[in-house]
Amino acid sequence: MQRQRLRQSVHSEENVRLRNFLIEKRKALNLAQRQLAEKLNIHYSVVGKIETGDKRMDFLELRRYAKALNFNIGEIEELFNLLYSNINNK
């Protein structure tokens, strides 16, 4: 049985989809990276690094992001359920 690594590459399909999801949510609110950073009380470069994959977020940061972008963190679970069901059906 092949083991799957717990910590995935920042360039894995899962991480890319998560970053794209966060970017879409930010843009849907017409927020620039600087504006989101102000809502999160962080430096704007951190938002850029998260969106390009140069910085990983932990769960608590992801929760703060969800609150700032007005989405339920459960939406991310739905995104990944869809991804995994598509992978398993191939």
Side-chain angles (χ1 to χ4, degrees):
M1 182 170 118
Q2 185 178 11
R3 292 184 184 177
Q4 186 174 5
R5 292 181 53 196
L6 182 59
R7 185 142 177 128
Q8 296 292 317
S9 162
V10 294
H11 304 294
S12 70
E13 186 172 359
E14 292 98 336
N15 279 301
V16 170
R17 284 190 184 226
L18 176 60
R19 289 195 313 268
N20 288 339
F21 175 83
L22 296 174
I23 292 167
E24 288 171 15
K25 291 294 186 181
R26 177 179 59 77
K27 288 183 176 181
L29 294 173
N30 293 316
L31 290 175
Q33 289 180 347
R34 284 182 186 257
Q35 292 169 307
L36 176 56
E38 287 174 10
K39 287 180 80 167
L40 293 167
N41 197 29
I42 60 175
H43 194 270
Y44 72 90
S45 66
V46 175
V47 174
K49 288 178 181 181
I50 288 169
E51 291 186 1
T52 59
D54 292 332
K55 181 188 180 320
R56 290 181 184 265
M57 285 191 295
D58 65 24
F59 181 74
L60 299 177
E61 291 170 319
L62 185 57
R63 286 183 62 210
R64 289 179 56 216
Y65 238 81
K67 185 174 182 178
L69 294 176
N70 301 323
F71 70 87
N72 183 313
I73 203 158
E75 291 179 53
I76 295 170
E77 182 66 23
E78 292 172 18
L79 175 75
F80 285 107
N81 285 340
L82 179 62
L83 170 66
Y84 296 137
S85 69
N86 288 339
I87 289 172
N88 292 332
N89 290 332
K90 286 184 179 180

mmCIF file of all heavy atoms in Angstrom, residues 35-78:
data_model
loop_
_atom_site.group_PDB
_atom_site.id
_atom_site.type_symbol
_atom_site.label_atom_id
_atom_site.label_comp_id
_atom_site.label_asym_id
_atom_site.label_seq_id
_atom_site.Cartn_x
_atom_site.Cartn_y
_atom_site.Cartn_z
ATOM 1 N N GLN A 35 -6.630 45.624 0.525
ATOM 2 C CA GLN A 35 -7.863 45.782 1.296
ATOM 3 C C GLN A 35 -8.129 44.552 2.162
ATOM 4 O O GLN A 35 -8.537 44.674 3.320
ATOM 5 C CB GLN A 35 -9.042 46.039 0.358
ATOM 6 C CG GLN A 35 -8.975 47.380 -0.347
ATOM 7 C CD GLN A 35 -10.011 47.477 -1.447
ATOM 8 O OE1 GLN A 35 -10.089 46.609 -2.320
ATOM 9 N NE2 GLN A 35 -10.805 48.532 -1.402
ATOM 10 N N LEU A 36 -7.902 43.371 1.593
ATOM 11 C CA LEU A 36 -8.073 42.151 2.371
ATOM 12 C C LEU A 36 -7.068 42.124 3.522
ATOM 13 O O LEU A 36 -7.410 41.775 4.649
ATOM 14 C CB LEU A 36 -7.911 40.905 1.490
ATOM 15 C CG LEU A 36 -7.978 39.564 2.211
ATOM 16 C CD1 LEU A 36 -9.283 39.404 2.992
ATOM 17 C CD2 LEU A 36 -7.792 38.425 1.227
ATOM 18 N N ALA A 37 -5.853 42.513 3.252
ATOM 19 C CA ALA A 37 -4.823 42.542 4.288
ATOM 20 C C ALA A 37 -5.236 43.469 5.432
ATOM 21 O O ALA A 37 -5.035 43.137 6.604
ATOM 22 C CB ALA A 37 -3.490 42.982 3.693
ATOM 23 N N GLU A 38 -5.839 44.588 5.102
ATOM 24 C CA GLU A 38 -6.305 45.507 6.145
ATOM 25 C C GLU A 38 -7.385 44.855 7.002
ATOM 26 O O GLU A 38 -7.385 44.989 8.222
ATOM 27 C CB GLU A 38 -6.836 46.799 5.520
ATOM 28 C CG GLU A 38 -5.745 47.694 4.967
ATOM 29 C CD GLU A 38 -6.285 48.897 4.211
ATOM 30 O OE1 GLU A 38 -7.501 49.171 4.265
ATOM 31 O OE2 GLU A 38 -5.469 49.565 3.541
ATOM 32 N N LYS A 39 -8.301 44.127 6.348
ATOM 33 C CA LYS A 39 -9.351 43.427 7.106
ATOM 34 C C LYS A 39 -8.762 42.365 8.028
ATOM 35 O O LYS A 39 -9.279 42.115 9.113
ATOM 36 C CB LYS A 39 -10.358 42.759 6.149
ATOM 37 C CG LYS A 39 -11.277 43.718 5.442
ATOM 38 C CD LYS A 39 -12.239 42.990 4.532
ATOM 39 C CE LYS A 39 -13.376 42.439 5.360
ATOM 40 N NZ LYS A 39 -14.515 41.977 4.558
ATOM 41 N N LEU A 40 -7.676 41.738 7.585
ATOM 42 C CA LEU A 40 -7.040 40.677 8.352
ATOM 43 C C LEU A 40 -5.994 41.210 9.333
ATOM 44 O O LEU A 40 -5.454 40.446 10.131
ATOM 45 C CB LEU A 40 -6.372 39.669 7.402
ATOM 46 C CG LEU A 40 -7.310 38.857 6.523
ATOM 47 C CD1 LEU A 40 -6.533 38.139 5.422
ATOM 48 C CD2 LEU A 40 -8.082 37.867 7.373
ATOM 49 N N ASN A 41 -5.696 42.488 9.214
ATOM 50 C CA ASN A 41 -4.677 43.124 10.049
ATOM 51 C C ASN A 41 -3.306 42.462 9.863
ATOM 52 O O ASN A 41 -2.613 42.134 10.823
ATOM 53 C CB ASN A 41 -5.088 43.125 11.526
ATOM 54 C CG ASN A 41 -4.272 44.109 12.340
ATOM 55 O OD1 ASN A 41 -3.807 45.124 11.823
ATOM 56 N ND2 ASN A 41 -4.090 43.814 13.609
ATOM 57 N N ILE A 42 -2.967 42.248 8.582
ATOM 58 C CA ILE A 42 -1.662 41.688 8.226
ATOM 59 C C ILE A 42 -1.070 42.553 7.119
ATOM 60 O O ILE A 42 -1.753 43.371 6.515
ATOM 61 C CB ILE A 42 -1.773 40.217 7.751
ATOM 62 C CG1 ILE A 42 -2.680 40.102 6.516
ATOM 63 C CG2 ILE A 42 -2.246 39.313 8.875
ATOM 64 C CD1 ILE A 42 -2.756 38.708 5.912
ATOM 65 N N HIS A 43 0.203 42.365 6.842
ATOM 66 C CA HIS A 43 0.853 43.106 5.758
ATOM 67 C C HIS A 43 0.333 42.579 4.422
ATOM 68 O O HIS A 43 0.124 41.366 4.263
ATOM 69 C CB HIS A 43 2.372 42.935 5.850
ATOM 70 C CG HIS A 43 3.126 43.897 5.003
ATOM 71 N ND1 HIS A 43 3.461 43.617 3.709
ATOM 72 C CD2 HIS A 43 3.573 45.155 5.267
ATOM 73 C CE1 HIS A 43 4.108 44.647 3.187
ATOM 74 N NE2 HIS A 43 4.195 45.601 4.123
ATOM 75 N N TYR A 44 0.150 43.480 3.472
ATOM 76 C CA TYR A 44 -0.429 43.075 2.181
ATOM 77 C C TYR A 44 0.413 42.026 1.457
ATOM 78 O O TYR A 44 -0.113 41.209 0.703
ATOM 79 C CB TYR A 44 -0.679 44.287 1.285
ATOM 80 C CG TYR A 44 0.575 44.918 0.730
ATOM 81 C CD1 TYR A 44 1.104 44.496 -0.481
ATOM 82 C CD2 TYR A 44 1.245 45.927 1.419
ATOM 83 C CE1 TYR A 44 2.250 45.066 -0.997
ATOM 84 C CE2 TYR A 44 2.388 46.501 0.923
ATOM 85 C CZ TYR A 44 2.894 46.067 -0.289
ATOM 86 O OH TYR A 44 4.035 46.625 -0.785
ATOM 87 N N SER A 45 1.709 42.023 1.692
ATOM 88 C CA SER A 45 2.553 41.044 0.999
ATOM 89 C C SER A 45 2.229 39.612 1.419
ATOM 90 O O SER A 45 2.431 38.673 0.642
ATOM 91 C CB SER A 45 4.034 41.341 1.239
ATOM 92 O OG SER A 45 4.369 41.148 2.600
ATOM 93 N N VAL A 46 1.698 39.446 2.624
ATOM 94 C CA VAL A 46 1.321 38.102 3.091
ATOM 95 C C VAL A 46 0.183 37.556 2.237
ATOM 96 O O VAL A 46 0.186 36.380 1.859
ATOM 97 C CB VAL A 46 0.941 38.116 4.590
ATOM 98 C CG1 VAL A 46 0.432 36.753 5.035
ATOM 99 C CG2 VAL A 46 2.124 38.562 5.438
ATOM 100 N N VAL A 47 -0.782 38.407 1.907
ATOM 101 C CA VAL A 47 -1.897 37.976 1.048
ATOM 102 C C VAL A 47 -1.347 37.538 -0.312
ATOM 103 O O VAL A 47 -1.722 36.488 -0.844
ATOM 104 C CB VAL A 47 -2.956 39.086 0.890
ATOM 105 C CG1 VAL A 47 -4.027 38.687 -0.122
ATOM 106 C CG2 VAL A 47 -3.586 39.423 2.239
ATOM 107 N N GLY A 48 -0.450 38.317 -0.857
ATOM 108 C CA GLY A 48 0.162 37.961 -2.141
ATOM 109 C C GLY A 48 0.905 36.640 -2.065
ATOM 110 O O GLY A 48 0.815 35.810 -2.976
ATOM 111 N N LYS A 49 1.631 36.422 -0.984
ATOM 112 C CA LYS A 49 2.379 35.176 -0.830
ATOM 113 C C LYS A 49 1.447 33.977 -0.672
ATOM 114 O O LYS A 49 1.729 32.891 -1.185
ATOM 115 C CB LYS A 49 3.326 35.273 0.368
ATOM 116 C CG LYS A 49 4.497 36.192 0.094
ATOM 117 C CD LYS A 49 5.403 36.328 1.301
ATOM 118 C CE LYS A 49 6.536 37.288 0.977
ATOM 119 N NZ LYS A 49 7.462 37.449 2.091
ATOM 120 N N ILE A 50 0.337 34.171 0.016
ATOM 121 C CA ILE A 50 -0.643 33.086 0.146
ATOM 122 C C ILE A 50 -1.227 32.757 -1.224
ATOM 123 O O ILE A 50 -1.329 31.594 -1.613
ATOM 124 C CB ILE A 50 -1.752 33.469 1.148
ATOM 125 C CG1 ILE A 50 -1.193 33.462 2.573
ATOM 126 C CG2 ILE A 50 -2.955 32.529 1.022
ATOM 127 C CD1 ILE A 50 -2.128 34.068 3.609
ATOM 128 N N GLU A 51 -1.570 33.786 -1.978
ATOM 129 C CA GLU A 51 -2.216 33.570 -3.278
ATOM 130 C C GLU A 51 -1.275 32.986 -4.322
ATOM 131 O O GLU A 51 -1.733 32.347 -5.265
ATOM 132 C CB GLU A 51 -2.851 34.874 -3.769
ATOM 133 C CG GLU A 51 -4.050 35.281 -2.933
ATOM 134 C CD GLU A 51 -4.789 36.490 -3.463
ATOM 135 O OE1 GLU A 51 -4.400 37.048 -4.522
ATOM 136 O OE2 GLU A 51 -5.784 36.888 -2.828
ATOM 137 N N THR A 52 0.031 33.191 -4.176
ATOM 138 C CA THR A 52 0.985 32.611 -5.131
ATOM 139 C C THR A 52 1.546 31.281 -4.665
ATOM 140 O O THR A 52 2.260 30.611 -5.405
ATOM 141 C CB THR A 52 2.155 33.576 -5.391
ATOM 142 O OG1 THR A 52 2.817 33.840 -4.156
ATOM 143 C CG2 THR A 52 1.692 34.860 -6.046
ATOM 144 N N GLY A 53 1.235 30.902 -3.427
ATOM 145 C CA GLY A 53 1.723 29.641 -2.901
ATOM 146 C C GLY A 53 3.063 29.744 -2.210
ATOM 147 O O GLY A 53 3.666 28.738 -1.857
ATOM 148 N N ASP A 54 3.544 30.954 -2.008
ATOM 149 C CA ASP A 54 4.821 31.133 -1.313
ATOM 150 C C ASP A 54 4.685 31.004 0.197
ATOM 151 O O ASP A 54 5.672 30.872 0.901
ATOM 152 C CB ASP A 54 5.431 32.496 -1.645
ATOM 153 C CG ASP A 54 5.881 32.581 -3.094
ATOM 154 O OD1 ASP A 54 6.220 31.533 -3.674
ATOM 155 O OD2 ASP A 54 5.895 33.701 -3.640
ATOM 156 N N LYS A 55 3.449 31.066 0.695
ATOM 157 C CA LYS A 55 3.200 30.920 2.123
ATOM 158 C C LYS A 55 2.006 30.000 2.324
ATOM 159 O O LYS A 55 1.001 30.130 1.652
ATOM 160 C CB LYS A 55 2.899 32.272 2.777
ATOM 161 C CG LYS A 55 2.655 32.144 4.287
ATOM 162 C CD LYS A 55 2.171 33.433 4.889
ATOM 163 C CE LYS A 55 1.921 33.353 6.376
ATOM 164 N NZ LYS A 55 1.304 32.147 6.883
ATOM 165 N N ARG A 56 2.161 29.078 3.243
ATOM 166 C CA ARG A 56 1.055 28.204 3.625
ATOM 167 C C ARG A 56 0.267 28.850 4.750
ATOM 168 O O ARG A 56 0.812 29.608 5.537
ATOM 169 C CB ARG A 56 1.572 26.867 4.144
ATOM 170 C CG ARG A 56 2.183 25.991 3.125
ATOM 171 C CD ARG A 56 2.619 24.702 3.825
ATOM 172 N NE ARG A 56 3.318 23.835 2.928
ATOM 173 C CZ ARG A 56 2.741 22.850 2.259
ATOM 174 N NH1 ARG A 56 1.467 22.624 2.398
ATOM 175 N NH2 ARG A 56 3.443 22.094 1.458
ATOM 176 N N MET A 57 -1.009 28.506 4.817
ATOM 177 C CA MET A 57 -1.841 28.974 5.924
ATOM 178 C C MET A 57 -2.103 27.808 6.858
ATOM 179 O O MET A 57 -2.277 26.680 6.406
ATOM 180 C CB MET A 57 -3.198 29.470 5.416
ATOM 181 C CG MET A 57 -3.149 30.802 4.752
ATOM 182 S SD MET A 57 -4.805 31.438 4.478
ATOM 183 C CE MET A 57 -5.439 30.278 3.323
ATOM 184 N N ASP A 58 -2.170 28.102 8.135
ATOM 185 C CA ASP A 58 -2.626 27.071 9.057
ATOM 186 C C ASP A 58 -4.149 27.201 9.176
ATOM 187 O O ASP A 58 -4.766 28.093 8.584
ATOM 188 C CB ASP A 58 -1.920 27.151 10.410
ATOM 189 C CG ASP A 58 -2.215 28.413 11.204
ATOM 190 O OD1 ASP A 58 -3.268 29.047 11.002
ATOM 191 O OD2 ASP A 58 -1.378 28.769 12.057
ATOM 192 N N PHE A 59 -4.747 26.305 9.926
ATOM 193 C CA PHE A 59 -6.206 26.270 10.018
ATOM 194 C C PHE A 59 -6.774 27.565 10.605
ATOM 195 O O PHE A 59 -7.794 28.074 10.133
ATOM 196 C CB PHE A 59 -6.665 25.066 10.852
ATOM 197 C CG PHE A 59 -8.151 24.961 10.952
ATOM 198 C CD1 PHE A 59 -8.903 24.545 9.868
ATOM 199 C CD2 PHE A 59 -8.802 25.298 12.126
ATOM 200 C CE1 PHE A 59 -10.281 24.455 9.946
ATOM 201 C CE2 PHE A 59 -10.186 25.213 12.219
ATOM 202 C CZ PHE A 59 -10.923 24.789 11.125
ATOM 203 N N LEU A 60 -6.125 28.105 11.612
ATOM 204 C CA LEU A 60 -6.630 29.329 12.241
ATOM 205 C C LEU A 60 -6.575 30.509 11.273
ATOM 206 O O LEU A 60 -7.494 31.334 11.239
ATOM 207 C CB LEU A 60 -5.841 29.633 13.515
ATOM 208 C CG LEU A 60 -5.934 28.558 14.595
ATOM 209 C CD1 LEU A 60 -5.059 28.918 15.778
ATOM 210 C CD2 LEU A 60 -7.371 28.339 15.029
ATOM 211 N N GLU A 61 -5.524 30.576 10.485
ATOM 212 C CA GLU A 61 -5.445 31.634 9.468
ATOM 213 C C GLU A 61 -6.540 31.454 8.423
ATOM 214 O O GLU A 61 -7.141 32.429 7.975
ATOM 215 C CB GLU A 61 -4.070 31.615 8.791
ATOM 216 C CG GLU A 61 -2.938 32.049 9.683
ATOM 217 C CD GLU A 61 -1.581 31.796 9.077
ATOM 218 O OE1 GLU A 61 -1.377 30.729 8.457
ATOM 219 O OE2 GLU A 61 -0.717 32.673 9.232
ATOM 220 N N LEU A 62 -6.795 30.218 8.049
ATOM 221 C CA LEU A 62 -7.845 29.938 7.067
ATOM 222 C C LEU A 62 -9.214 30.362 7.604
ATOM 223 O O LEU A 62 -10.025 30.921 6.872
ATOM 224 C CB LEU A 62 -7.843 28.458 6.692
ATOM 225 C CG LEU A 62 -8.803 28.032 5.591
ATOM 226 C CD1 LEU A 62 -8.569 28.812 4.306
ATOM 227 C CD2 LEU A 62 -8.654 26.543 5.335
ATOM 228 N N ARG A 63 -9.448 30.138 8.881
ATOM 229 C CA ARG A 63 -10.718 30.574 9.492
ATOM 230 C C ARG A 63 -10.847 32.088 9.442
ATOM 231 O O ARG A 63 -11.927 32.622 9.168
ATOM 232 C CB ARG A 63 -10.795 30.082 10.939
ATOM 233 C CG ARG A 63 -11.070 28.602 11.059
ATOM 234 C CD ARG A 63 -11.220 28.150 12.487
ATOM 235 N NE ARG A 63 -12.366 28.829 13.096
ATOM 236 C CZ ARG A 63 -12.445 29.123 14.391
ATOM 237 N NH1 ARG A 63 -11.471 28.806 15.207
ATOM 238 N NH2 ARG A 63 -13.506 29.726 14.873
ATOM 239 N N ARG A 64 -9.762 32.805 9.725
ATOM 240 C CA ARG A 64 -9.795 34.271 9.657
ATOM 241 C C ARG A 64 -10.057 34.738 8.222
ATOM 242 O O ARG A 64 -10.790 35.696 7.995
ATOM 243 C CB ARG A 64 -8.476 34.851 10.169
ATOM 244 C CG ARG A 64 -8.307 34.694 11.679
ATOM 245 C CD ARG A 64 -6.998 35.241 12.200
ATOM 246 N NE ARG A 64 -6.834 36.643 11.843
ATOM 247 C CZ ARG A 64 -5.650 37.180 11.519
ATOM 248 N NH1 ARG A 64 -4.560 36.456 11.521
ATOM 249 N NH2 ARG A 64 -5.570 38.457 11.207
ATOM 250 N N TYR A 65 -9.444 34.063 7.269
ATOM 251 C CA TYR A 65 -9.658 34.367 5.852
ATOM 252 C C TYR A 65 -11.134 34.195 5.502
ATOM 253 O O TYR A 65 -11.734 35.029 4.832
ATOM 254 C CB TYR A 65 -8.819 33.421 4.995
ATOM 255 C CG TYR A 65 -7.846 34.090 4.058
ATOM 256 C CD1 TYR A 65 -6.616 34.539 4.498
ATOM 257 C CD2 TYR A 65 -8.150 34.240 2.715
ATOM 258 C CE1 TYR A 65 -5.711 35.119 3.635
ATOM 259 C CE2 TYR A 65 -7.267 34.819 1.839
ATOM 260 C CZ TYR A 65 -6.044 35.261 2.305
ATOM 261 O OH TYR A 65 -5.167 35.846 1.448
ATOM 262 N N ALA A 66 -11.710 33.066 5.949
ATOM 263 C CA ALA A 66 -13.119 32.778 5.658
ATOM 264 C C ALA A 66 -14.015 33.885 6.204
ATOM 265 O O ALA A 66 -14.925 34.348 5.519
ATOM 266 C CB ALA A 66 -13.517 31.427 6.243
ATOM 267 N N LYS A 67 -13.749 34.308 7.408
ATOM 268 C CA LYS A 67 -14.552 35.371 8.006
ATOM 269 C C LYS A 67 -14.395 36.676 7.226
ATOM 270 O O LYS A 67 -15.375 37.360 6.940
ATOM 271 C CB LYS A 67 -14.153 35.566 9.472
ATOM 272 C CG LYS A 67 -15.010 36.557 10.198
ATOM 273 C CD LYS A 67 -14.677 36.622 11.669
ATOM 274 C CE LYS A 67 -15.613 37.613 12.346
ATOM 275 N NZ LYS A 67 -15.380 37.704 13.774
ATOM 276 N N ALA A 68 -13.181 37.007 6.859
ATOM 277 C CA ALA A 68 -12.925 38.253 6.125
ATOM 278 C C ALA A 68 -13.558 38.239 4.738
ATOM 279 O O ALA A 68 -13.968 39.273 4.222
ATOM 280 C CB ALA A 68 -11.423 38.494 6.018
ATOM 281 N N LEU A 69 -13.654 37.046 4.135
ATOM 282 C CA LEU A 69 -14.205 36.934 2.782
ATOM 283 C C LEU A 69 -15.653 36.464 2.777
ATOM 284 O O LEU A 69 -16.204 36.135 1.729
ATOM 285 C CB LEU A 69 -13.335 35.989 1.940
ATOM 286 C CG LEU A 69 -11.914 36.492 1.664
ATOM 287 C CD1 LEU A 69 -11.115 35.440 0.910
ATOM 288 C CD2 LEU A 69 -11.935 37.807 0.892
ATOM 289 N N ASN A 70 -16.268 36.419 3.953
ATOM 290 C CA ASN A 70 -17.693 36.105 4.080
ATOM 291 C C ASN A 70 -18.093 34.756 3.480
ATOM 292 O O ASN A 70 -19.062 34.654 2.738
ATOM 293 C CB ASN A 70 -18.552 37.209 3.443
ATOM 294 C CG ASN A 70 -18.315 38.550 4.065
ATOM 295 O OD1 ASN A 70 -18.104 38.662 5.271
ATOM 296 N ND2 ASN A 70 -18.319 39.583 3.246
ATOM 297 N N PHE A 71 -17.320 33.727 3.791
ATOM 298 C CA PHE A 71 -17.748 32.397 3.375
ATOM 299 C C PHE A 71 -17.604 31.443 4.539
ATOM 300 O O PHE A 71 -16.873 31.686 5.485
ATOM 301 C CB PHE A 71 -16.995 31.902 2.132
ATOM 302 C CG PHE A 71 -15.542 31.557 2.342
ATOM 303 C CD1 PHE A 71 -15.161 30.287 2.754
ATOM 304 C CD2 PHE A 71 -14.552 32.494 2.087
ATOM 305 C CE1 PHE A 71 -13.838 29.966 2.925
ATOM 306 C CE2 PHE A 71 -13.220 32.178 2.256
ATOM 307 C CZ PHE A 71 -12.855 30.910 2.676
ATOM 308 N N ASN A 72 -18.354 30.358 4.453
ATOM 309 C CA ASN A 72 -18.325 29.320 5.471
ATOM 310 C C ASN A 72 -17.186 28.373 5.144
ATOM 311 O O ASN A 72 -17.052 27.919 4.006
ATOM 312 C CB ASN A 72 -19.663 28.568 5.463
ATOM 313 C CG ASN A 72 -19.757 27.531 6.536
ATOM 314 O OD1 ASN A 72 -18.839 26.740 6.738
ATOM 315 N ND2 ASN A 72 -20.879 27.535 7.235
ATOM 316 N N ILE A 73 -16.393 28.055 6.133
ATOM 317 C CA ILE A 73 -15.243 27.181 5.896
ATOM 318 C C ILE A 73 -15.666 25.813 5.353
ATOM 319 O O ILE A 73 -14.889 25.134 4.694
ATOM 320 C CB ILE A 73 -14.367 27.078 7.161
ATOM 321 C CG1 ILE A 73 -12.954 26.691 6.781
ATOM 322 C CG2 ILE A 73 -14.975 26.146 8.177
ATOM 323 C CD1 ILE A 73 -11.927 27.041 7.798
ATOM 324 N N GLY A 74 -16.917 25.437 5.564
ATOM 325 C CA GLY A 74 -17.443 24.195 5.006
ATOM 326 C C GLY A 74 -17.441 24.184 3.489
ATOM 327 O O GLY A 74 -17.432 23.117 2.873
ATOM 328 N N GLU A 75 -17.440 25.354 2.871
ATOM 329 C CA GLU A 75 -17.383 25.430 1.408
ATOM 330 C C GLU A 75 -16.082 24.822 0.885
ATOM 331 O O GLU A 75 -16.046 24.272 -0.215
ATOM 332 C CB GLU A 75 -17.504 26.873 0.928
ATOM 333 C CG GLU A 75 -18.866 27.485 1.152
ATOM 334 C CD GLU A 75 -18.936 28.933 0.688
ATOM 335 O OE1 GLU A 75 -18.590 29.203 -0.486
ATOM 336 O OE2 GLU A 75 -19.322 29.782 1.497
ATOM 337 N N ILE A 76 -15.024 24.930 1.673
ATOM 338 C CA ILE A 76 -13.747 24.353 1.260
ATOM 339 C C ILE A 76 -13.839 22.836 1.288
ATOM 340 O O ILE A 76 -13.342 22.159 0.391
ATOM 341 C CB ILE A 76 -12.610 24.874 2.160
ATOM 342 C CG1 ILE A 76 -12.445 26.385 1.940
ATOM 343 C CG2 ILE A 76 -11.305 24.137 1.883
ATOM 344 C CD1 ILE A 76 -11.525 27.050 2.917
ATOM 345 N N GLU A 77 -14.506 22.298 2.289
ATOM 346 C CA GLU A 77 -14.711 20.852 2.365
ATOM 347 C C GLU A 77 -15.486 20.364 1.138
ATOM 348 O O GLU A 77 -15.145 19.334 0.547
ATOM 349 C CB GLU A 77 -15.447 20.482 3.647
ATOM 350 C CG GLU A 77 -15.668 19.003 3.835
ATOM 351 C CD GLU A 77 -14.392 18.209 4.035
ATOM 352 O OE1 GLU A 77 -13.380 18.796 4.456
ATOM 353 O OE2 GLU A 77 -14.411 16.996 3.775
ATOM 354 N N GLU A 78 -16.500 21.110 0.746
ATOM 355 C CA GLU A 78 -17.278 20.742 -0.443
ATOM 356 C C GLU A 78 -16.404 20.761 -1.692
ATOM 357 O O GLU A 78 -16.503 19.882 -2.550
ATOM 358 C CB GLU A 78 -18.458 21.696 -0.612
ATOM 359 C CG GLU A 78 -19.516 21.562 0.457
ATOM 360 C CD GLU A 78 -20.581 22.642 0.371
ATOM 361 O OE1 GLU A 78 -20.707 23.294 -0.688
ATOM 362 O OE2 GLU A 78 -21.281 22.838 1.378
#
